Amino acid sequence: MDLGLKNKVAVVMASSRGLGFAVAEELAREGARLAICSRDGDAIGAAAEHLRASCNAEVCAGACDVEDAAAIDAFARKVIDTYGTVHVLFTNAGGPPPGTVADVVPADYSRAVSLNLMSAINCAYAFLPYMKEQRWGRIIASTSITVKQPLPALALSNVSRVGVIAFIKSLAVEYAQYGITANAVAPGYIGTERVAGLLDARVQREGITREAAAHDIVANIPAGRMGDPKEFAALVAFLASERASYINGETILVDGGMYRGLM
Ligand SMILES: NC(=O)c1ccc[n+]([C@@H]2O[C@H](COP(=O)([O-])OP(=O)(O)OC[C@H]3O[C@@H](n4cnc5c(N)ncnc54)[C@H](OP(=O)(O)O)[C@@H]3O)[C@@H](O)[C@H]2O)c1
């Protein structure tokens, strides 16, 4: 299937590794020109080199902390100076620390909202004018299964991400007239360093083995395994494509069937 992404400019936030990197790699394979960022300049530089070498991709890379609105604006200027416009925006950030409601304090929620909600809003505001001007755009926000089904010991994720869904829905309704779609993707458990860190936290907290912690998670996933970042990236590439032109305002899970609700 031709996704029509050749030469489109795709901005992938928080993409030196994990889900963001997998998305960047998938879009590069589809021929998109990339702009990628993360906090660590060396790590994002290495990711860019990898994408150039493995996919022959055009890549603009920069250090940017998505918690910092001014840094997002500076990165957006760099992207526009390089490519002149943007077609696809994938918003992403690191995950907030794990913990139950009892483990965290109110200030932790503010930090999580800054990391996981405000980052998506600031990124969208930085790039929307270019999409509106060209009357074509795709915004895809990375969230979590926690927006549909809160998970134990992830209080900060459970609370901070739902606003992203409301923002995406608002964007979808308001910007459809400009040929822009806005959707959210919600991973369950996909094998990345973040998930390895969550397993380690459980080992520490509960004194169980890593195997037992992993087994508990997988036992709740009908697919019988965690996902591969490539399986997540495939959905993002489709939502970024011309083919997804009539999918707007949706939240789509990539969770191997883990979510048990009906809608
Ligand atoms: N993997 C899953 O199964 C899963 C499930 C549900 C939700 N999620 C969420 O999806 C997001 C990505 O997860 P992941 O598994 O890919 O995590 P990961 O493996 O830890 O990778 C996180 C990426 O984000 C970058 N990053 C972190 N904080 C940043 C910031 N403030 N500004 C810019 N870049 C930042 C990191 O690079 P630097 O360190 O260089 O900044 C890295 O490239 C997280 O919010 C996570 O909680 C993941």
Side-chain angles (χ1 to χ4, degrees):
M1 192 190 328
D2 179 10
L3 295 181
L5 286 167
K6 197 159 176 44
N7 292 327
K8 288 269 195 306
V9 176
V11 176
V12 184
M13 306 303 287
S15 45
S16 62
R17 61 177 190 271
L19 301 182
F21 180 78
V23 167
E25 193 170 36
E26 185 76 16
L27 295 174
R29 290 226 161 83
E30 293 297 325
R33 291 175 288 165
L34 292 178
I36 61 173
C37 70
S38 79
R39 292 164 304 180
D40 180 336
D42 290 341
I44 202 67
E49 268 315 305
H50 182 92
L51 292 167
R52 288 183 194 112
S54 63
C55 309
N56 201 23
E58 207 177 320
V59 188
C60 158
C64 172
D65 183 341
V66 297
E67 280 195 72
D68 178 350
I72 291 173
D73 286 345
F75 180 63
R77 275 197 302 280
K78 178 174 167 139
V79 174
I80 299 305
D81 286 348
T82 305
Y83 295 123
T85 193
V86 60
H87 301 96
V88 175
L89 169 65
F90 176 74
T91 71
N92 188 31
T100 62
V101 171
D103 292 330
V104 300
V105 297
D108 295 328
Y109 293 90
S110 295
R111 169 91 204 279
V113 165
S114 160
L115 180 64
N116 292 125
L117 171 59
M118 289 314 301
S119 63
I121 292 175
N122 286 324
C123 289
Y125 272 86
F127 290 106
L128 260 173
Y130 305 96
M131 296 182 180
K132 184 178 170 189
E133 169 80 22
Q134 73 203 357
R135 302 186 89 77
W136 200 96
R138 299 280 185 268
I139 296 176
I140 302 129
S142 191
T143 62
S144 166
I145 189 174
T146 57
V147 301
K148 294 243 181 194
Q149 177 177 303
L151 293 180
L154 282 176
L156 299 176
S157 179
N158 294 342
V159 171
S160 64
R161 295 182 193 275
V162 282
V164 179
I165 305 304
F167 177 62
I168 284 294
K169 201 76 181 172
S170 305
L171 272 182
V173 171
E174 202 173 320
Y175 282 83
Q177 62 183 313
Y178 305 115
I180 298 169
T181 66
N183 293 287
V185 283
Y189 280 100
I190 315 278
T192 65
E193 282 182 32
R194 161 76 175 169
V195 167
L198 293 178
L199 288 179
D200 289 342
R202 231 190 120 200
V203 168
Q204 290 282 319
R205 201 172 50 243
E206 297 173 30
I208 56 175
T209 64
R210 207 156 191 286
E211 290 66 35
H215 177 269
D216 278 2
I217 287 175
V218 169
N220 270 315
I221 304 174
R225 62 177 175 85
M226 292 192 199
D228 186 293
K230 288 184 169 60
E231 295 175 299
F232 174 82
L235 170 65
V236 177
F238 180 72
L239 290 173
S241 75
E242 188 57 52
R243 297 293 181 112
S245 49
Y246 206 57
I247 302 173
N248 197 16
E250 288 300 316
T251 298
I252 304 178
L253 289 154
V254 185
D255 69 344
M258 182 178 156
Y259 172 61
R260 297 297 199 270
L262 295 180
M263 306 285 284

